[in-house]
């Protein structure tokens, strides 16, 4: 009798769980933090889906992919959110992702037709400086000037890798020479974006590698107009952040629903002031005013996903050679 | 003499604890190797990283300990108002999260720091902190306090009676050094060198941030690259093994060199040092203390100033994170003591047990985290165990310090009271209860304080397992910085500093209260 | 009756042989030059140091392999006889029950022992609050409550002044009279031996002699003892 009651209890709980399915999304840590888009996105999506949306944070984009590789097909994730175009080729190669069914009119500087990944936001890497700073206009000028910069290590940081690809796409075979020229401008190389930005704010350098959207944070959150992103004549390297559905998901419909929700006005209007990036689809209400003051690069640079890995390894070797002397 | 074993005759629990610790460290490394399907051979860049790591770790260690000797001596032979407070405050850099401490350090030594501002105002050339010397400076900043505490304990283990004897014989400071202090240093310094070398070996963010570029690539960064850039788990594991091998070798050398003799018991009365009462020595000790305090405390002041404005308006989630960190620290401290005490007792018979504990701080946090993930993942969602794993790993990280502090005192206790216990026929349990624990109170208090403070300040492996709902304070600081909120992060950093120091002070004080006599 | 049967002690270069019997209730001094092995011999009897060969017997029973606490002896060392973190009472109590779970009766026994050694009212002090002589008295009180038939003293009075030392020796003398215990006492001072030990064992030149009449021995010292005494 006792066992029967116990079994009934178990059954009751399992049915209860079955009634509200769980959608598990792996993403980078800052997405799920109290100050990232996570909480608002979760609330908004759960209103529409009658499900339990669970975010699982894992370091940054690259750690996210590493974790997925560790777990392989056994992963609990239904969706991985937060890879960028530097990682999508390697992610596709794992064979863990399955094509999505989303079609949308993206407001991206490039055409998007990737069958596996749906973009949700994007931005440009840029050096951020004080507004009144007399900043150089390109990498060669920067190398010749005595402007000091703090950058991130491409081996441990996404923006660091972005800069590596930026110089490589802009200068090709001359990239190593550019780096050699920059070596006396580099105050130091940090593990991640936070450390670099922190050093810059402490006055350790004239400029720091960040995003063109960074000044918007200071204007909106701090009413501080003293920071500006520096336009470079070579153009700016882009980061497009994407999400993909896993082939092994037990909630394929729910996963599709979330990817669709990602392109909705609700989701897209959360992005600018929580992730401080451009939304992949312009919300109806447009962007906050502060975004109008941001620089808009004349030329967007991006390595096609399939070439990213090969170019990355070559660029890293050059970077190490140039800066280790 | 005293051929009879003292307490815990079979050392059994200690060996079990050591085996557990070894499993917590080596298990994950093995798991990563297994998952990789074999090792990967390190490339030339990895060997360069190894060379740099050894260079910076050796320099940092030697300088930290060399400076700690005069500092500990000055603290040991001077009595002044606020001495205890100073000793506690000097420990602060050691327990801070790396990035908070680095920003404090830069506020003083950085390009725009106070030092350069002063040099500039005086018309002198400014100094550049980035480079090998910056890495060493930061490591000395972190580890000088620990070295000082370990060596100060050595000084306090010399019974007051010996110093009185020296005074009655009219020994001057030099003779006291030769006859009393030098033998103590020979026994204590190798252990301090060993622990600090192990810490510096796995340093990563400090070396990278202050190293000024890829020249300052450490083994830990090479592991990072192997893992997240190349996803070469085999190479990451082999690099982690090299790191462990280096620490094991250093530990074996240090434990061989360290003499294990006790210094006698004495009756713990406070002492006055007649040999040091010359104006020149007063001046020397005063200068040493002033310089050390300036070096260690100015960056602390900078942290207080940076965070002071924000600390009261911190968002609720930061306070919740602080509560989580305290809970984790409590569990971690209890666990650390439960492991350290039996291991320290077993180390009386097998000193090499300490080498096992050292593996904890030298092991690559990334590889340990990934390995634990690989081990846990088939069974349950690692995120659910995030806090438990963090407490366990933090406890293991605190072990070497706890052991280093407890072992010398245990040797003294055995030397002084071992025969008495045996002649009275005390059971090992009673020896533990009636003799060892009461005689070891100070050391236990200090070790508990250190374990708790380290646990509060250490990011540990939680970054790899993070549960979005439950964050620890260091993780929350990282998240604040990641969300541009540098001011709040500075406030949270200050909160962490205050919490760590308070907890450390309370536990350390608890160990002293009513101690003997 | 304590018997050392063909005992051989060796430690590095050091060597000592002993073969003698001490009658129950006897009070025997061990004298000899320092380094001759007086303390080591005591440690062998107490069980802290194993001989390479030979047997230690108590009343005919072989106790060579027994751990210290199971032997019939109480011992006082040169120092560290008291645990600094315990009061005098508790230090004495350890002699009754080493786990300190003392009954009301035990507490009365402790109080009586402290009274007997002249420490009435000082039971709640810790060693650091007691004078050197008082600390020795606490240790003696513990020997008293241990009720061991054999008492070993390894120069516990060495640090005391002559008058205080004489006082302690007299106290030991009286206590032994009351308990009837056998006493073995290391000393480097022949006057100590004269004061309370009718018999003396000479430990010198790698050998411990059998107990001899103290007065006779000191009056007609053999060569080794004469060198030591400087007479």
């Amino acid at each position: 009798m006792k066992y029967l009651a116990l079994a009934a209890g178990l059954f009751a709980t399992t049915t209860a769980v079955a009634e509200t399915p769980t959608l598990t999304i792996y993403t980078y840590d800052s997405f799920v933090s109290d100050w990232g888009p996570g909480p608002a996105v979760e609330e908004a999506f759960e209103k529409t889906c009658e499900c339990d949306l669970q975010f699982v944070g894992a370091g940054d984009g690259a750690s996210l992919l590493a974790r997925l590789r560790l777990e392989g097909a056994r992963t609990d994730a239904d969706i991985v959110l937060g890879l960028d175009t530097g990682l999508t080729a390697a992610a596709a190669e794992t064979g863990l992702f399955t094509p999505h069914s989303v079609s949308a009119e993206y407001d991206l500087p490039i055409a998007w037709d990737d069958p596996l990944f749906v973009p949700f936001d994007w931005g440009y890497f840029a050096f951020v400086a004080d507004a009144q700073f007399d900043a150089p206009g390109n990498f060669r000028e920067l190398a010749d000037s005595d402007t000091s910069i703090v950058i991130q290590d491409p081996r441990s940081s996404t923006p660091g890798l972005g800069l590596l690809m930026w110089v490589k796409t802009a200068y090709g075979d001359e990239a190593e020479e550019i780096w050699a020229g920059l070596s006396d401008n580099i105050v130091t190389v940090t593990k991640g974006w936070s450390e670099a930005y922190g050093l810059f704010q402490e006055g350790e350098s004239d400029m720091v590698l960040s995003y063109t959207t960074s000044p918007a944070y200071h204007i909106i959150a701090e009413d501080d107009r003293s920071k500006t992103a520096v336009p470079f004549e070579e153009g700016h390297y882009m980061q497009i952040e994407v999400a993909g559905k896993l082939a092994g998901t037990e909630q394929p419909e729910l996963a599709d629903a979330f990817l669709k929700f990602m392109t909705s006005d609700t989701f897209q209007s959360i992005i600018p002031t929580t992730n401080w990036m451009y939304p992949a689809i312009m919300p109806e209400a447009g962007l906050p005013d502060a975004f109008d003051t941001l620089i808009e690069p004349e030329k967007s640079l991006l390595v096609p996903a399939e070439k990213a890995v090969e170019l990355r390894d070559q660029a890293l070797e050059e970077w190490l050679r140039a800066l280790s002397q | 003499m005293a051929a009879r074993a003292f307490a815990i005759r079979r050392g059994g629990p200690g060996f079990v604890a050591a085996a557990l610790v070894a499993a917590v460290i080596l298990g994950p490394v093995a798991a990563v190797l297994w998952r990789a399907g074999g090792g990967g051979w390190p490339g030339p860049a990895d060997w360069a990283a190894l060379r740099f790591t050894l260079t910076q770790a050796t320099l940092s260690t030697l300088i930290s300990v060399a400076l700690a000797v005069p500092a500990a001596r000055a603290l040991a032979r001077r009595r002044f108002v606020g001495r205890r407070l100073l000793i506690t405050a000097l420990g602060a850099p050691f327990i801070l999260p790396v990035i908070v401490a680095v920003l404090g350090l830069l506020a003083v030594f950085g390009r725009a720091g106070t030092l350069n501002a002063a040099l500039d105002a005086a018309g002198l050339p400014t100094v550049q902190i980035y480079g090998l010397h910056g890495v060493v400076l930061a490591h000395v900043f972190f580890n000088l306090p620990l070295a000082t505490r370990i060596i100060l304990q050595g000084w306090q283990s010399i019974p007051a009676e010996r110093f009185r004897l020296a005074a009655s014989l009219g020994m001057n400071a030099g003779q006291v050094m030769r006859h009393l202090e030098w033998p103590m240093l020979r026994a204590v310094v190798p252990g301090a060198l060993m622990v600090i070398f192990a810490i510096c070996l796995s340093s990563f963010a400090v070396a990278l941030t202050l190293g000024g570029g890829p020249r300052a690539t450490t083994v830990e960064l090479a592991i990072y690259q192997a893992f997240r850039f190349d996803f070469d788990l085999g190479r990451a594991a082999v690099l982690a093994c090299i790191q462990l091998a280096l620490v094991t070798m250093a530990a074996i050398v240090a434990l061989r060199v360290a003499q294990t003799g006790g210094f006698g018991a004495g009756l713990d009365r406070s002492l006055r040092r007649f040999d040091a009462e010359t104006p020149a020595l007063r001046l020397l000790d005063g200068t040493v203390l002033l310089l050390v305090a300036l070096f260690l405390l100015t960056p602390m002041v900078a942290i207080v100033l940076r965070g002071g404005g924000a600390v009261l308006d911190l968002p609720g989630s930061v306070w919740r994170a602080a509560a989580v960190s305290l809970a984790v620290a409590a569990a971690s401290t209890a666990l650390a003591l439960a492991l350290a005490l039996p291991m320290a007792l077993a180390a009386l018979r097998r000193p090499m047990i300490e080498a096992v504990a050292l593996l904890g701080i030298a092991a690559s946090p990334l590889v340990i985290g990934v390995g634990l993930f690989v081990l846990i993942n088939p069974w349950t969602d690692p995120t659910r165990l995030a806090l438990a794993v963090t407490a366990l790993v933090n406890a293991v990280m605190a072990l070497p310090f706890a052991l280093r502090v407890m072992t010398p005192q245990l040797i003294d206790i055995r030397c002084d009271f071992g025969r008495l216990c045996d002649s009275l026929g005390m059971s090992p349990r009673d020896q533990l209860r009636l003799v060892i624990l009461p005689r070891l109170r100070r050391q236990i208090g200090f070790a508990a304080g250190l374990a708790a403070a380290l646990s509060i300040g250490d990011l540990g492996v939680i970054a790899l397992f993070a549960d979005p709902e439950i964050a620890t304070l260091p993780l929350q600081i990282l998240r604040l910085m990641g969300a541009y909120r540098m001011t709040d992060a500075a406030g949270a950093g200050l909160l962490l500093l205050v919490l760590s120091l308070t907890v450390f002070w309370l536990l350390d004080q608890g160990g002293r209260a009513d101690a003997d006599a | 009756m304590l018997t050392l049967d063909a005992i051989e002690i060796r430690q590095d270069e050091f060597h000592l042989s002993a073969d003698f019997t001490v009658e129950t209730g006897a009070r025997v001094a061990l004298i000899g030059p320092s380094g001759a092995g007086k303390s080591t011999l005591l440690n062998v009897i107490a069980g802290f140091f194993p001989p390479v060969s030979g047997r230690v017997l108590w009343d005919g029973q072989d106790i060579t392999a027994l751990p210290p606490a199971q032997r019939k002896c109480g011992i006082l060392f040169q120092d560290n006889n008291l645990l600094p973190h315990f009061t005098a009472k508790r230090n004495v109590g350890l002699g009754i029950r080493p786990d300190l779970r003392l009954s009301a009766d035990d507490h009365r026994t402790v109080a009586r022992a402290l009274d007997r050694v002249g420490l009435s009212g000082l039971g709640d002090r810790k060693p650091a609050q007691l004078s050197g002589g008082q600390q020795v008295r606490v240790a003696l009180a513990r020997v008293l409550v241990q009720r061991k038939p054999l008492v070993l003293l390894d120069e516990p009075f060495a640090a005391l002044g002559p008058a205080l030392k004489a006082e302690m020796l007299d106290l030991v003398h009286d206590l032994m009279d009351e308990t009837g215990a056998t006493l073995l006492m290391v000393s480097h001072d022949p006057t100590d031996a004269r004061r309370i030990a009718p018999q003396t064992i000479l430990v010198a030149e790698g050998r411990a002699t059998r107990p001899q009449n103290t007065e006779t021995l000191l009056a007609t010292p053999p060569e080794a003892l004469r060198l030591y005494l400087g007479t």
Side-chain angles (χ1 to χ4, degrees):
Chain A
M1 194 60 211
K2 200 167 65 183
Y3 295 106
L4 199 63
L6 191 69
L10 277 175
F11 186 68
T13 28
T14 42
T15 37
V17 168
E19 272 165 15
T20 50
T22 303
L23 183 70
T24 306
I25 302 184
Y26 284 10
T27 184
Y28 47 81
D29 196 61
S30 64
F31 194 91
V32 294
S33 89
D34 291 333
W35 307 279
V41 167
E42 185 176 342
E43 201 191 329
F45 186 64
E46 281 179 352
K47 263 184 206 156
T48 67
C49 74
E50 289 182 355
C51 69
D52 180 17
L53 174 58
Q54 278 203 340
F55 281 118
V56 174
D60 64 352
S63 311
L64 201 56
L65 181 57
R67 171 156 178 183
L68 198 65
R69 282 167 136 168
L70 273 180
E71 294 181 351
R74 258 200 339 262
T75 183
D76 286 337
D78 300 305
I79 285 179
V80 171
L81 181 152
L83 304 174
D84 66 14
T85 42
L87 298 167
T88 47
E93 228 173 77
T94 61
L96 295 170
F97 289 90
T98 188
H100 60 80
S101 57
V102 176
S103 58
E105 288 292 312
Y106 299 112
D107 295 299
L108 296 172
I110 57 157
W112 190 266
D113 54 4
D114 192 303
L116 292 181
F117 299 103
V118 181
F120 63 92
D121 69 9
W122 63 282
Y124 293 108
F125 295 111
F127 285 100
V128 168
D130 275 341
Q132 63 280 49
F133 180 70
D134 185 16
N138 57 52
F139 281 108
R140 284 195 197 280
E141 259 184 57
L142 171 58
D144 292 339
S145 73
D146 54 5
T147 302
S148 59
I149 56 173
V150 171
I151 62 171
Q152 298 84 350
D153 196 304
R155 292 168 289 179
S156 56
S157 141
T158 308
L161 184 57
L163 178 63
L164 194 71
M165 303 303 273
W166 185 1
V167 174
K168 188 65 190 167
T169 45
Y171 287 95
D173 294 341
E174 291 171 273
E176 186 168 348
E177 177 201 326
I178 295 290
W179 279 115
L182 288 174
S183 75
D184 61 345
N185 299 89
I186 299 171
V187 172
T188 195
V189 179
T190 65
K191 179 188 168 200
W193 177 88
S194 312
E195 291 91 341
Y197 212 80
L199 292 191
F200 164 69
Q201 291 208 317
E202 291 294 308
E204 287 301 298
S205 67
D206 301 324
M207 308 203 299
V208 63
L209 178 67
S210 187
Y211 296 87
T212 57
T213 40
S214 297
Y217 169 80
H218 297 286
I219 296 170
I220 293 171
E222 299 173 340
D223 196 23
D224 171 8
R225 290 167 192 278
S226 67
K227 303 279 186 294
T228 187
V230 179
F232 266 31
E233 287 145 9
E234 297 91 336
H236 287 247
Y237 198 79
M238 285 176 65
Q239 183 184 24
I240 301 174
E241 297 195 291
V242 304
K245 181 172 96 171
L246 285 139
T249 174
E250 283 165 15
Q251 308 285 348
E253 290 85 22
L254 208 50
D256 282 335
F258 182 83
L259 291 180
K260 183 93 191 106
F261 171 75
M262 231 171 56
T263 59
S264 73
D265 205 59
T266 319
F267 183 103
Q268 291 291 317
S269 28
I270 295 170
I271 289 297
T273 53
T274 50
N275 227 23
W276 303 102
M277 296 281 273
Y278 287 111
I281 296 170
M282 190 58 68
E284 270 168 44
L287 290 169
D289 291 345
F291 278 72
D292 297 341
T293 65
L294 303 178
I295 60 157
E296 286 187 40
E298 286 164 15
K299 198 175 154 197
S300 313
L301 306 175
L302 185 65
V303 177
E306 60 277 11
K307 286 190 191 152
V309 173
E310 185 193 337
L311 206 61
R312 183 194 80 170
D313 288 348
Q314 190 194 342
L316 180 68
E317 257 177 54
E318 293 168 1
W319 183 80
L320 285 172
R321 255 202 313 272
L323 294 185
S324 293
Q325 269 147 35
Chain B
M1 192 87 45
R4 291 273 159 194
F6 167 67
I8 319 296
R9 218 149 281 199
R10 291 176 309 279
F15 294 117
V16 172
L20 187 77
V21 171
V24 168
I25 300 156
L26 300 179
V29 177
V32 173
L33 263 178
W34 168 79
R35 178 69 178 69
W41 196 243
D46 297 328
W47 295 118
L50 185 64
R51 271 197 304 279
F52 175 77
T53 304
L54 280 175
T55 311
Q56 63 84 4
T58 309
L59 278 176
S60 305
T61 305
L62 289 178
I63 295 175
S64 298
V65 174
L67 293 178
V69 171
R73 182 179 59 188
L75 285 170
R77 66 188 185 189
R78 299 293 156 206
R79 293 282 169 278
F80 50 91
V81 181
R83 176 177 167 278
R84 295 285 309 285
L85 200 66
L86 179 67
I87 292 178
T88 303
L90 289 186
F94 186 65
I95 52 188
L96 277 178
V98 168
I99 184 61
V100 174
V102 165
L103 287 177
L105 208 53
L106 286 175
V108 178
F109 297 99
R111 251 169 49 107
T114 24
L115 178 65
N116 275 334
L119 288 173
D120 203 35
L124 295 165
T126 56
V127 290
Q128 167 74 281
I129 192 182
Y130 302 94
L132 177 60
H133 59 285
V135 176
V136 172
L137 179 91
H139 282 157
V140 171
F141 175 73
F142 281 112
N143 296 314
L144 177 59
L146 179 69
T148 306
R149 276 306 283 256
I150 292 178
I151 296 173
L152 180 60
Q153 293 239 348
W155 244 287
Q156 286 167 340
S157 74
I158 305 177
E161 289 81 355
R162 306 282 161 82
F163 285 112
R164 287 210 200 91
L165 177 67
S168 75
L169 293 172
M171 283 190 197
N172 62 27
Q175 290 158 333
V176 167
M177 179 45 111
R178 195 160 63 243
H179 298 306
L180 293 181
E181 298 170 328
W182 175 243
M184 176 279 292
L185 287 175
R186 275 202 49 187
V188 169
V189 162
L193 286 172
M194 170 180 81
V195 170
I196 292 168
F197 182 76
I199 298 174
C200 294
L201 212 54
S202 60
S203 161
F204 167 23
V206 174
L208 186 57
T209 307
L210 294 172
R215 274 180 304 271
T217 294
T218 58
V219 176
E220 184 68 14
L221 179 58
I223 291 175
Y224 239 74
Q225 180 184 355
F227 175 64
R228 44 180 317 256
F229 206 84
D230 306 326
F231 200 67
D232 186 346
L233 290 177
R235 205 171 95 227
V238 167
L239 286 168
C241 289
I242 292 175
Q243 231 175 5
L244 291 176
L246 282 174
V247 162
T248 310
M249 282 190 292
I252 289 172
V253 171
L255 291 172
R256 282 259 160 91
V257 174
Q259 294 170 332
T260 44
F263 304 99
L267 289 171
D268 296 354
R269 292 175 176 121
S270 72
L271 76 161
R272 183 177 158 196
R273 288 284 300 276
F274 294 90
D275 59 292
E277 291 187 354
T278 70
L281 288 175
R282 272 174 203 278
L283 186 68
L284 173 72
D285 286 351
T287 314
V288 166
L289 286 180
L290 190 70
L291 288 178
V292 167
L294 266 179
F295 173 53
L296 296 180
L297 297 183
T298 341
M300 292 297 132
V301 172
I303 290 169
V304 172
L305 293 178
R306 286 180 67 238
V311 77
L312 290 176
D313 309 321
L314 285 173
S317 61
V318 172
W319 295 102
R320 277 197 300 281
V324 170
S325 277
L326 283 177
V328 169
S332 171
T333 306
L335 198 56
L337 290 183
L339 290 171
L341 198 63
M343 280 178 78
L345 285 167
L348 286 176
R349 285 161 58 87
R350 295 259 182 285
M352 286 299 159
I353 273 201
E354 247 194 283
V356 176
L358 268 187
L359 293 179
I361 30 172
S364 156
L366 186 70
V367 173
I368 299 290
V370 170
L372 284 171
F373 186 92
V374 169
L375 287 174
I376 295 171
N377 194 41
W379 311 105
T380 178
D381 176 9
T383 313
R384 248 182 261 156
L385 295 177
L387 292 185
V389 167
T390 303
L392 174 68
V393 171
N394 285 351
V396 168
M397 300 280 168
L399 264 188
F401 312 112
L403 280 189
R404 196 82 289 276
V405 170
M406 287 181 186
T407 313
Q409 174 73 3
L410 269 179
I411 292 171
D412 284 349
I413 297 174
R414 173 178 66 177
C415 175
D416 296 331
F417 301 112
R419 286 193 307 170
L420 178 62
C421 293
D422 284 340
S423 82
L424 292 171
M426 276 190 193
S427 68
R429 251 185 77 114
D430 289 329
Q431 289 184 24
L432 193 65
R433 186 169 63 90
L434 298 174
V435 182
I436 296 173
L437 289 180
R439 300 305 301 156
L440 206 57
R441 263 183 71 168
R442 267 176 189 236
Q443 285 72 19
I444 291 174
F446 178 63
L450 206 58
L454 278 175
S455 173
I456 294 174
D458 195 46
L459 187 59
V461 290
I462 198 168
L464 289 158
F465 289 75
D467 178 337
E469 312 290 325
I470 314 166
T472 59
L473 194 47
L475 182 61
Q476 209 65 312
I477 292 175
L478 219 64
R479 285 179 172 173
L480 281 165
M481 289 187 75
Y484 288 94
R485 286 170 164 76
M486 303 292 168
T487 317
D488 281 345
L494 175 58
L495 174 64
L496 190 149
L497 176 65
V498 171
L499 274 185
S500 297
L501 276 185
T502 310
V503 167
F504 174 80
W505 191 78
L506 286 175
L507 288 171
D508 190 29
Q509 201 65 19
R512 288 155 182 281
D514 189 36
D516 313 336
Chain C
M1 189 172 69
L2 174 74
T3 305
L4 269 66
D5 176 21
I7 287 286
E8 290 288 332
I9 305 166
R10 234 176 259 283
Q11 190 180 27
D12 301 325
E13 296 296 290
F14 171 79
H15 163 254
L16 181 69
S17 57
D19 188 275
F20 59 75
T21 297
V22 175
E23 294 302 324
T24 303
R27 289 196 289 275
V28 183
L30 276 73
I31 65 171
S34 85
K38 304 185 292 287
S39 290
T40 311
L41 188 60
L42 220 57
N43 277 314
V44 168
I45 297 168
F48 293 114
F49 192 83
V52 284
S53 65
R55 297 183 304 159
V56 182
L57 303 147
W58 177 256
D59 285 345
Q61 186 205 345
D62 185 351
I63 60 168
T64 323
L66 285 184
Q70 289 175 31
R71 302 188 176 203
K72 307 288 183 194
C73 53
I75 184 167
L76 290 192
F77 309 106
Q78 278 174 22
D79 45 26
N80 295 322
N81 285 304
L82 303 181
L83 290 171
H85 51 283
F86 283 157
T87 59
K89 272 185 192 164
R90 304 195 87 191
N91 265 297
V92 174
L94 285 171
I96 303 175
R97 289 199 59 140
D99 60 4
L100 272 184
R101 295 182 212 281
L102 302 178
S103 66
D105 259 358
D106 295 335
H107 281 293
R108 279 192 289 277
T109 310
V110 168
R112 269 202 305 276
L114 283 169
D115 289 345
R116 177 62 192 88
V117 298
L119 291 179
S120 309
L122 298 182
D124 288 324
R125 294 205 185 169
K126 287 185 177 178
Q129 298 164 303
L130 296 169
S131 71
Q134 287 169 330
Q135 289 177 20
V136 171
R137 284 172 194 269
V138 176
L140 280 173
R142 189 172 63 219
V143 170
L144 202 57
V145 301
Q146 277 184 296
R147 298 175 193 285
K148 300 276 187 177
L150 175 60
V151 172
L152 307 174
L153 302 185
D154 189 3
E155 297 197 79
F157 315 135
L160 304 180
L164 203 49
K165 188 162 82 171
E167 207 180 308
M168 291 301 139
L169 287 170
D170 292 345
L171 179 59
V172 170
H173 180 271
D174 294 349
L175 293 178
M176 293 303 112
D177 271 355
E178 289 164 31
T179 59
T182 310
L183 175 74
L184 249 66
M185 172 184 90
V186 167
S187 177
H188 54 262
D189 185 350
T191 52
D192 292 358
R194 277 207 180 92
R195 195 167 190 101
I196 66 164
Q199 290 181 302
T200 293
I201 290 171
L202 174 61
V203 183
E205 295 171 336
R207 211 170 69 82
T209 65
R210 58 191 63 234
Q212 303 163 58
N213 183 292
T214 303
E215 288 303 337
T216 323
L217 186 69
L218 291 176
T220 54
E223 178 68 13
L225 183 58
R226 208 164 53 232
L227 281 172
Y228 169 61
L229 295 173
T231 48

